[in-house]
Amino acid sequence: MKVLVPVKRVLDYNVKPRVKADGTGVDLANVKMSMNPFDEIAVEEAIRLKDKGVTEIVAVSIGEAKCQETLRTALAMGADRAILVQTDDKVEPLGVAKLLKAIVEAEQPQLIILGKQAIDDDNNQTGQMLAGLLGVGQATFASKVELAADSVTVTREVDGGSETDKLSLPAIITTDLRLNEPRYASLPNIMKAKSKPLDQKTPADYGVDVAPRLTTLKVVEPPKRTAGVKVADTDELVAKLKAMGVAK
Amino acid sequence: MKTLIWVEHDGKTVKDATLAVVTAAAKLGEVHLLVAGQGVDGVAAEAAKIAGVGKVHVADDAAYAHALAENVAPLVVSLMDSHDAFLAPATSNGKNIAPRVAALLDVMQISDILSVESDDTFTRPIYAGNAIATVQTKDAKKVITVRGTAFDKADTSGGSGTIEKVAATGDKGVSSFVNAEIAKLERPELTSAKVIVSGGRALQNSENFHSIIEPLADKLGAAVGASRAAVDAGYVPNDYQVGQTGKIVAPEVYIAVGISGAIQHLAGMKDSKTIIAINKDEDAPIFQVADIGLVGDLFKIVPELTEKL
């Protein structure tokens, strides 16, 4: 069984984003970039399914040439080969989903595992959109995956608790934080990953129109909170709570 | 503009999250609701009373019993010929369904909006709430999810919507519901609570979490939240998590106990009206956003505070 894992290169989650002074976006020059944390979880899950019928893992990334680094990371973790759809244009989730649909039709994977959201745009759309375009089942926010020959049973994190759904294959899964603990790539595996196949494509190869539908008019910093006060003891804190009407 | 809102409900009553969406949709034009489910006449009747609601479309069918996106999305699409925008709350169900609808309509969704600037322009948070983007859509039909804490809740009475049955679009047969485990809550729900007491890794274990955080929460009639560290360590279940990947809350008062204040946590609570931090590390980032800070040992401070309240 073949598994497709789309991965995105994003600003490292430990870096505090800085909004550009001209309001056009977030400054990404000379800052650390990494694989989106939810995508690491997706790659890890695909690898863990390898002893349960998965025979090949294909990692895909869409974006600038540097996304190759992200794909090499996926290969070093254990993916078998990679596809880079290279473009310097910004591709929205709808465009990404359309490109992925074309790749799915060419590669015929039984399972596609994506992160639930990218920590830059915080959209939480691509997996659902891809499932809609393909007309297949979707299990979003997965915390547990049980793969069978022709179906997959997924426990999902939902408001208030968890829900388990069963999907026939092919199917889409998007990962939540609790699904697994991604592995670190070892040095020998990082070296080996350099010789694994990485195909280079462009959006035009798939004949997909990825022109953006949304225009970002401006990006600003959120309103700053005014500096607070420190209180010395619980008596003072109780007094404050009472003044706010929170405590009687 | 005619808007259609997917109504979040539990089969019996309309969930609060929907009320904020009604307020957002009213800024765009005529407000219609979609109640999909099985045996939902009661929900539809309740929905029709929400202030400002025009029409309530009701789809009563077993295929919609568990809000599976595969079945609900085609239903929504079937109603979009006569509507200009589809809105859903940014809850786990809303986030699951809306993008599938957007893809079927070939439009780009606008996620988690904070404000409606005009018919086609909205603001939304990016980078864990560290930046706010103003985006304009060129799509003819709009698909939008709404952040519940960013809009006032519409009144649950005073409306006189007309109820109209709509034809079911069937079970697509690609997915099925197996079961659900919903945690029993004796306290207010996190996303609608006025006061939240949240605990972090510093609580050290589950017993401490329950014996220190919960009595304070109960004294204040507050909901209980947690940082990712506390959830990962198993002190409390996942759905207590406040943050970029958990719940987004904006209560009147948020009390962070033993939480350092990582950006992913702040993303979920920094719109709270008043933030109170209790932490023994006076350099913890949480103090940079806290209105009131108390530096000290939570194991001493919190029980003392509970006692004095």
Side-chain angles (χ1 to χ4, degrees):
Chain A
M1 184 184 296
K2 194 191 279 187
V3 181
L4 191 78
V5 186
V7 295
K8 186 178 185 184
R9 175 181 155 92
V10 299
L11 180 66
D12 188 85
Y13 76 99
N14 276 317
V15 178
K16 187 166 164 56
R18 282 192 323 271
V19 174
K20 286 190 211 166
D22 63 2
T24 54
V26 165
D27 194 357
L28 297 178
N30 304 314
V31 289
K32 190 183 176 202
M33 304 290 280
S34 303
M35 188 190 295
N36 180 44
F38 292 101
D39 303 347
E40 288 185 354
I41 295 171
V43 175
E44 176 67 32
E45 194 62 21
I47 298 163
R48 290 189 189 189
L49 291 171
K50 264 210 157 170
D51 53 1
K52 305 215 173 66
V54 169
T55 49
E56 188 183 30
I57 300 167
V58 183
V60 182
S61 195
I62 298 165
E64 56 177 337
K66 283 181 176 167
C67 294
Q68 275 196 39
E69 293 166 15
T70 314
L71 288 170
R72 291 288 172 205
T73 304
L75 294 170
M77 287 174 75
D80 297 293
R81 60 189 177 86
I83 301 169
L84 170 66
V85 183
Q86 199 178 320
T87 170
D88 288 332
D89 298 328
K90 190 176 154 37
V91 186
E92 294 169 343
L94 183 64
V96 171
K98 287 179 178 177
L99 284 169
L100 292 175
K101 176 178 184 258
I103 294 170
V104 167
E105 281 163 355
E107 295 280 343
Q108 297 288 320
Q110 289 296 97
L111 202 58
I112 302 107
I113 311 179
L114 306 87
K116 80 163 175 183
Q117 76 192 64
I119 60 165
D120 50 2
D121 290 339
D122 281 334
N123 271 318
N124 196 332
Q125 300 174 3
T126 307
Q128 295 91 315
M129 285 181 159
L130 178 60
L133 294 178
L134 291 169
V136 303
Q138 66 186 52
T140 48
F141 327 137
S143 59
K144 192 177 171 199
V145 172
E146 285 174 276
L147 186 61
D150 59 354
S151 71
V152 63
T153 303
V154 182
T155 303
R156 308 169 47 228
E157 295 201 355
V158 297
D159 297 335
S162 65
E163 175 178 320
T164 304
D165 296 329
K166 188 177 179 184
L167 312 177
S168 45
L169 297 179
I172 307 282
I173 293 172
T174 75
T175 64
D176 214 321
L177 275 178
R178 238 73 59 181
L179 183 57
N180 61 46
E181 190 77 44
R183 71 193 61 194
Y184 288 101
S186 67
L187 191 57
N189 285 341
I190 292 171
M191 299 310 290
K192 265 188 242 165
K194 291 183 177 169
S195 57
K196 287 186 180 177
L198 193 157
D199 281 348
Q200 304 230 21
K201 302 275 189 186
T202 66
D205 291 337
Y206 297 100
V208 173
D209 173 20
V210 293
R213 307 294 185 83
L214 304 181
T215 312
T216 299
L217 300 179
K218 65 176 179 197
V219 175
V220 298
E221 280 192 26
K224 284 235 180 352
R225 296 188 72 96
T226 48
V229 294
K230 289 246 170 76
V231 293
D233 53 31
T234 50
D235 284 328
E236 252 189 88
L237 184 51
V238 170
K240 292 265 188 198
L241 286 169
K242 283 184 177 164
M244 285 188 287
V246 173
K248 284 182 201 92
Chain B
M1 195 186 292
K2 267 193 209 166
T3 66
L4 180 70
I5 298 173
W6 180 75
V7 174
E8 173 107 42
H9 63 83
D10 57 5
K12 297 181 196 81
T13 58
V14 176
K15 294 256 193 165
D16 275 1
T18 311
L19 303 174
V21 187
V22 170
T23 304
K27 293 176 193 284
L28 293 171
E30 208 178 310
V31 180
H32 291 187
L33 303 184
L34 168 62
V35 176
Q38 192 176 23
V40 287
D41 286 349
V43 179
E46 200 184 309
K49 292 197 192 89
I50 298 171
V53 168
K55 200 179 280 182
V56 180
H57 301 273
V58 184
D60 205 321
D61 193 277
Y64 310 129
H66 300 289
L68 292 172
E70 296 84 348
N71 296 342
V72 174
L75 172 70
V76 174
V77 171
S78 76
L79 292 167
M80 287 307 288
D81 279 344
S82 52
H83 293 90
D84 307 296
F86 173 68
L87 291 86
T91 55
S92 50
N93 278 324
K95 290 190 280 196
N96 190 39
I97 293 167
R100 192 167 177 118
V101 171
L104 295 177
L105 294 171
D106 191 28
V107 305
M108 186 42 211
Q109 174 180 303
I110 304 169
S111 295
D112 218 15
I113 62 161
L114 299 172
S115 72
V116 175
E117 301 293 306
S118 73
D119 277 4
D120 62 1
T121 307
F122 307 87
T123 64
R124 60 175 303 266
I126 53 175
Y127 288 89
N130 282 293
I132 309 295
T134 304
V135 294
Q136 187 172 38
T137 173
K138 298 185 193 76
D139 286 322
K141 304 266 179 196
K142 290 157 194 71
V143 176
I144 296 164
T145 60
V146 177
R147 177 170 292 196
T149 56
F151 294 87
D152 294 333
K153 293 183 178 77
D155 274 335
T156 51
S157 63
S160 53
T162 52
I163 295 176
E164 196 175 292
K165 293 267 177 200
V166 295
T169 45
D171 191 329
K172 298 294 155 192
V174 290
S175 60
S176 57
F177 171 87
V178 178
N179 65 42
E181 277 178 38
I182 302 300
K184 281 203 183 71
L185 279 183
E186 288 138 19
R187 298 186 178 81
E189 216 176 326
L190 255 181
T191 47
S192 56
K194 284 209 162 56
V195 182
I196 294 173
V197 181
S198 234
R201 201 205 309 264
L203 269 308
Q204 291 173 356
N205 57 47
S206 180
E207 291 72 39
N208 287 343
F209 198 102
H210 294 300
S211 67
I212 289 179
I213 297 295
E214 290 178 358
L216 176 60
D218 290 341
K219 265 279 169 65
L220 297 168
V224 175
S227 68
R228 182 185 166 191
V231 172
D232 281 352
Y235 304 168
V236 286
N238 300 345
D239 57 299
Y240 280 52
Q241 188 184 325
V242 172
Q244 183 183 19
T245 63
K247 295 201 168 68
I248 312 286
V249 299
E252 299 278 315
V253 180
Y254 187 90
I255 307 180
V257 179
I259 292 176
S260 64
I263 54 176
Q264 292 82 6
H265 185 75
L266 300 183
M269 45 64 83
K270 67 187 169 58
D271 293 326
S272 305
K273 205 158 171 207
T274 303
I275 297 172
I276 300 174
I278 299 172
N279 205 300
K280 69 178 175 194
D281 174 11
E282 61 180 316
D283 296 323
I286 191 79
F287 286 120
Q288 290 165 19
V289 300
D291 300 283
I292 304 170
L294 178 50
V295 179
D297 180 8
L298 71 91
F299 292 102
K300 186 176 153 286
I301 289 172
V302 179
E304 198 179 297
L305 181 62
T306 310
E307 179 65 38
K308 286 178 181 165
L309 284 166

